[in-house]
Amino acid sequence: MECLAECVQVAVSNATFHFDKLYSYSVPAHLQDRVFVGSMVLVPFGRGAAARMGVVLGLDAPEAAGKRLKSLYDAAPEQARLSEELLRLVYYLKEHTFCTYYEAVKAIIPYGAQYKAVNTGPVPQLQKQLVRHTEPVYRRKDAPWQGRRTEKQQAAWDALAFGPKTQKELEEQGVTKAVLAGLVKKGVLAASAQDKSVALYENYSPAQETIALSPAQQAAYSRLAALMDTGRPAAALLHGVTSSGKTLVFLKLIEKAVAAGRKALVLVPEISLTPQMIYRLKAFFGDRVAVQHSALSNTERLLQWQQIQNGGADIVVGTRSAVFAPLPDIGVIIIDEEQEHTYHSESAPRYSAHDVAKRRAAAHGALLLLASATPSTESYYAAQAGRYTLVELSERYNHMPLPEVRLVDMREELAAGNASSVSRALADEISRNLARGEQTILLLNRRGYKTVGMCTACSEVVKCDACSVPMVYHKADGRLLCHYCGKSVSPVPEVCPACGGKLKYTGFGTQRVEEELEQMFPAARVLRMDLDTTSRKNAHETMLRRFAKGEYDIMLGTQMVAKGLDFEKVTLVGVLGIDQLLFAQGYKAFENVFSLVTQVVGRGGRAAQAGRALIQTVDPNHPVLNLAARQDYKSFFAEEISFRRLNLYPPFCTICLAGFSGAKEPEVLAASRAFAADVQRLAQQRSGIPLRILGPAPMNIAMVNNHYRYKLTLKCRNDNAFRALMGEALAAYNAAGWPGKVSVYLDFHSDADI
């Protein structure tokens, strides 16, 4: 990037989509050598010249230099600017997700690396959002030490024999701050300051063996390595049954990339899966593995980002946002458990990590590898169509059989007088596991104690008064909790607020099942993993490590325990409460159930002992559950793709969801109808734009945090022409004055761009 001249074009923060454009500013002389395309700058904005953050996205035309332009207040250091590739991603996110420029910038750069305005002088200046703390570092000076030395001084001198150390490290060896200060004053030692280090995933053991592949894994690796050798962008889908050893293939591909001097990016769907992947990678590749995910503190994330930016990392592993890691020369991008919805952002910018990864792979000439035992229908269809190279692992790595699966009819349990959430069959199997010293994983994708409070007189359900959802009883906290806005009610009401009748609480969540397990098996050690127990710092890592060490007999959890976990002593898996997901709304409901059941069943029998699984349901003949029990993905795909084709769902179209939210329901409905009319009118003015409009209709959760929510579902083709149409529709929405009353967003779901 060349240093700029007199005028620049800046995208500013806090702009609405309708007023998000590039504004021209002059560059004062004292900032001439610090402003580049991609620089973070501070600008005066509006009549009051209030300080706003901005990013330089272009040069202004030469004639702009003669105009009366406002001048930049300040500019960040040169090393803080966005690279050319990240700038291209800013434009991509704005064009494809209809976010603002600065929303895209904030998605790409972690909070700690961003800047804010401070008023410390006559002109506002930039300051980092996160002010780094430093610590002293001491080293020996080159000149020989002449003269007398005390015992403590000699100890300090000896401690630095093999290089510099921090004050903290020296104090741990008994060297005091006063002794160090005295030696600096004598000219014996030199002191400097460095950013404080933060220990992160350091408890790993270096691998003692090289990566050894089975014949099936070697065949899969060879096909994927051949794609890397072309030096051209390539995409592949690695479809392997659970415990087929996909991770070893990942490691071998990463090893190949690093050996060639290139970088690797590994994405996992949930924070709970990062510790195991990080430790596997660090065991083979050491400290040149960097981490990016939202559970890190701002300081930790900034330090990891800087390690990547400064060239100190060959491999980056993390959740969705890690796809923006500033890695140069990427050789391979791996998206594990690629079917998971968490790879799609639910806030602006509403991007798909798949789409961003595809663009980055194309820019770097890299291999994009999607991997799963249960690929998304869109990805498997693309592989069958030849858009991806399909590589399959059809057997488990250690030749162990897939778990034996039984479906338990919970209607029969209730008829036999068992009202517990744990069936008699599952209880018997847990008893056998406990007797043999083997471990059990139980999946229940519902947290809390009891999930519904209903009046026995008028049948009214206790709902959050800010959201249209029932409040959940959390016995451990003694309160009702809304899982959407976080509002709580304590003490737990016993009478109906509508009629005064008695309230009865029913249903079961992880807290109640934990209590039942403790009553059934008093000697069993039960570990509960859900949002309530894993919110503490490093909770996932600590819990999984303790379970791996055998400190617990039963792990009960939500879907965070269903995927990617590998424990040798787990031989039994139980699936509870799956029917709620089976009958959920949305065209992906069956795919989600099949994936979740298949994945959690695959956690069992991954080592020496065979595995078994029990699925509790009120519909044991449901085809999706039976296909999942057989781990028969191809038969499920054949059924699912027929359903998608018949009803025109992805991959045969793009789904564009237009979401509307406001405080007054009539206004929200009117706004969504007006937008639908504008889209219909604009589409009729064009030819060749396939489009179906469904709605408006209330969202599945019609109100959240006192805001009513409606949606339009548009079945379309996500191309330039359609995006231009939607841009015009948003402009018409703005011209009609709706944004001040009802907010709108667009969210695309499709594999059309992958």
Side-chain angles (χ1 to χ4, degrees), residues 10-23 45 57 90 94 98-104:
V10 178
V12 299
S13 62
N14 299 320
T16 63
F17 177 80
H18 313 288
F19 295 101
D20 188 38
K21 62 179 183 178
L22 301 184
Y23 295 88
F45 192 80
L57 293 182
V90 169
K94 178 171 174 61
F98 293 87
C99 68
T100 66
Y101 286 115
Y102 212 77
E103 283 173 336

Side-chain angles (χ1 to χ4, degrees), residues 29 146 155 251 281 313 430 594:
Q146 303 292 337
L251 293 173
L281 290 169
I430 293 174
F594 179 87

Side-chain angles (χ1 to χ4, degrees), residues 13 40 48 80 147 185 293 323 329 343 382 415 422 536 554 696 710 717:
S13 62
M40 310 298 294
K185 189 174 182 180
H293 61 69
V323 76
D329 195 16
Y343 286 123
V422 179
R536 301 183 306 277
I554 302 171
Y710 275 73
R717 183 171 58 212

Side-chain angles (χ1 to χ4, degrees), residues 498-545:
C499 73
K502 183 180 179 181
L503 289 174
K504 181 180 180 181
Y505 292 91
T506 58
F508 57 91
T510 50
Q511 288 183 8
R512 180 180 169 191
V513 175
E514 178 186 31
E515 184 178 280
E516 289 182 354
L517 291 170
E518 290 170 345
Q519 292 170 352
M520 290 179 178
F521 312 106
R525 299 163 298 174
V526 180
L527 171 65
R528 173 164 59 91
M529 288 191 70
D530 55 26
L531 188 61
D532 299 313
T533 62
T534 59
S535 57
R536 301 183 306 277
K537 180 72 174 174
N538 298 325
H540 291 100
E541 180 183 357
T542 302
M543 289 180 171
L544 295 177
R545 183 172 63 248

Side-chain angles (χ1 to χ4, degrees), residues 96 185 351 428 475 517 621 623 635 661 737 745:
H96 286 76
K185 189 174 182 180
Y351 67 91
D428 290 343
K475 185 177 181 180
L517 291 170
N621 296 316
S635 295
S661 176
Y745 68 83

Side-chain angles (χ1 to χ4, degrees), residues 135-194:
E135 60 184 343
V137 178
Y138 297 90
R139 63 173 178 83
R140 290 179 177 183
K141 282 197 169 182
D142 295 334
W145 183 358
Q146 303 292 337
R148 179 178 171 273
R149 62 189 74 178
T150 67
E151 183 178 340
K152 291 182 179 180
Q153 290 173 335
Q154 183 64 49
W157 180 259
D158 293 341
L160 295 169
F162 298 102
K165 288 187 177 181
T166 65
Q167 180 177 305
K168 181 179 179 181
E169 290 171 329
L170 292 166
E171 287 177 342
E172 288 173 350
Q173 293 182 241
V175 180
T176 66
K177 182 179 179 180
V179 170
L180 294 167
L183 292 176
V184 170
K185 189 174 182 180
K186 283 176 174 286
V188 174
L189 302 182
S192 59
Q194 71 174 25

